[in-house]
Amino acid sequence: MKQKGRLMGDIMLMTTAFIWGTAFVAQRAGMEHIGPLTFMATRYMLAVISIGIVAYLYFYMNKKKYAMSLSRPKHDKTTTIVSGLVTGSILFVASSMQQTGLVYSSAGKVGFITALYIIIVPILGIFFKKRVGPLTWLGVVLATVGLYLLTMKEGLSMEYGDFIVLMASFIWAVHILVIDYYSNKVEPLYMSFLQFFVAMILSSIAMFLWEKPEWSGIWDARVSIFYAGVFSAGVGYTLQMIAQKNTDPTIASLILSLEAVFGALGGYFLLNEVLSTKELIGCVVMFIAILIAQIPDKKTQSIFS
């Protein structure tokens, strides 16, 4: 794995974590006007439109080059469609379970339990004969401790909502591993577009089955939907897919978990929320964990190489 490509991938993932963290404010604001399924359907619709425009321009500007590469397995049409169907379905299920968990559990516990994918990803990777180096494992442990200090304000008792979010965390981990699998086989931009298209369709069906969407509520939440759809979903997830072409999935999960840190810092600077000493220590520990995990280990290799 080339160092330059890995560095660029890590920067993209850090940007994604920043976008996701600051988008938490927008998501909370949007929930005051519409239901979670309506929010998901409308945000993914905007993601499809925004990424669709970018994907079309990319295809148009690289038409000859893309046409010549269609015969290669990396850009196989069938594989691209399958990748979109799989990642989109996983995204819908994980998002739905996470939103449901928020109804029954506190935001702090949901944030902590969701980000446990930083542990689940390397554990699942073992089944794919993925070797995780000792420094990376140390980073995982430290990141989990830091995440606990940052997000948890109550005990670790497991309730109904917590269990749902824990299941969602496993699905988020699978999502990261699936992206790692397809990222070098298809064009990430097209996979991202198809992912959001599938998630939009599934969310829309669920929205009309279990909620009663009203235009007035959607309009009131328009700013939140726009940010969550265009930036958090469209830009964030696309950067994730592109970045994972050059980044180990365990490292990717660690960097993405920094969304909790950026969310806390965003609340501090934008909403005047107070960070306790424990929370500040948690932020520092998580950043240290990421730095430790970045120390090269020549014996590690890509999960599906």
Side-chain angles (χ1 to χ4, degrees):
M1 184 181 298
K2 296 181 179 180
Q3 287 298 111
K4 185 177 180 181
R6 175 175 174 175
L7 176 61
M8 184 58 65
D10 291 350
I11 292 174
M12 288 183 178
L13 289 170
M14 189 77 74
T15 304
T16 299
F18 174 79
I19 294 173
W20 287 354
T22 53
F24 184 65
V25 177
Q27 289 178 269
R28 284 190 299 177
M31 292 299 112
E32 296 177 1
H33 305 285
I34 55 179
L37 293 173
T38 302
F39 189 86
M40 286 171 54
T42 50
R43 75 177 292 199
Y44 291 146
M45 184 181 298
L46 282 182
V48 167
I49 295 173
S50 59
I51 297 302
I53 294 174
V54 175
Y56 175 78
L57 293 175
Y58 177 83
F59 174 82
Y60 182 78
M61 290 186 294
N62 299 274
K63 195 171 184 179
K64 292 183 178 179
K65 180 180 178 182
Y66 180 71
M68 292 175 62
S69 66
L70 282 177
S71 59
R72 300 177 186 176
K74 181 179 179 181
H75 297 283
D76 179 70
K77 288 184 178 180
T78 301
T79 303
T80 300
I81 293 173
V82 171
S83 71
L85 289 172
V86 174
T87 55
S89 299
I90 294 173
L91 176 62
F92 166 73
V93 174
S95 298
S96 300
M97 294 180 71
Q98 185 181 59
Q99 292 291 346
T100 302
L102 277 169
V103 177
Y104 301 98
S105 186
S106 66
K109 292 182 75 174
V110 169
F112 173 73
I113 297 173
T114 297
L116 287 178
Y117 59 68
I118 61 179
I119 297 177
I120 300 171
V121 166
I123 291 176
L124 291 180
I126 294 174
F127 295 98
F128 295 97
K129 298 181 180 180
K130 160 69 178 176
R131 182 187 180 278
V132 178
L135 289 176
T136 302
W137 277 115
L138 177 60
V140 168
V141 173
L142 286 177
T144 305
V145 173
L147 192 64
Y148 176 83
L149 294 173
L150 174 63
T151 60
M152 293 295 286
K153 294 180 174 61
E154 59 275 307
L156 278 173
S157 59
M158 183 67 69
E159 300 176 354
Y160 174 71
D162 303 330
F163 179 76
I164 294 178
V165 177
L166 180 60
M167 294 299 100
S169 184
F170 275 91
I171 299 175
W172 285 124
V174 172
H175 187 252
I176 292 174
L177 293 173
V178 169
I179 289 177
D180 180 70
Y181 174 77
Y182 282 114
S183 60
N184 286 305
K185 291 180 172 59
V186 301
E187 172 55 55
L189 192 59
Y190 302 132
M191 177 168 63
S192 181
F193 171 78
L194 291 172
Q195 170 187 245
F196 290 123
F197 183 79
V198 171
M200 179 193 69
I201 295 298
L202 295 176
S203 298
S204 299
I205 293 173
M207 174 184 68
F208 286 112
L209 286 175
W210 289 293
E211 293 181 359
K212 295 181 179 179
E214 296 182 357
W215 173 250
S216 59
I218 295 175
W219 178 254
D220 291 337
R222 62 189 182 279
V223 176
S224 299
I225 294 173
F226 179 82
Y227 189 82
V230 176
F231 291 98
S232 179
V235 177
Y237 280 104
T238 302
L239 285 178
Q240 178 197 4
M241 289 186 171
I242 296 174
Q244 283 199 227
K245 293 177 68 174
N246 298 307
T247 304
D248 180 88
T250 299
I251 301 296
S253 67
L254 281 170
I255 298 176
L256 291 174
S257 70
L258 287 177
E259 65 174 303
V261 174
F262 289 124
L265 295 177
Y268 176 79
F269 287 107
L270 300 177
L271 301 177
N272 297 318
E273 295 179 349
V274 178
L275 288 176
S276 66
T277 302
K278 179 174 73 72
E279 292 169 330
L280 288 172
I281 293 175
C283 292
V284 173
V285 171
M286 289 191 70
F287 275 115
I288 292 175
I290 301 302
L291 293 176
I292 290 176
Q294 291 298 313
I295 299 175
D297 184 348
K298 295 181 179 180
K299 294 181 179 180
T300 57
Q301 59 183 10
S302 177
I303 187 168
F304 291 107
S305 60

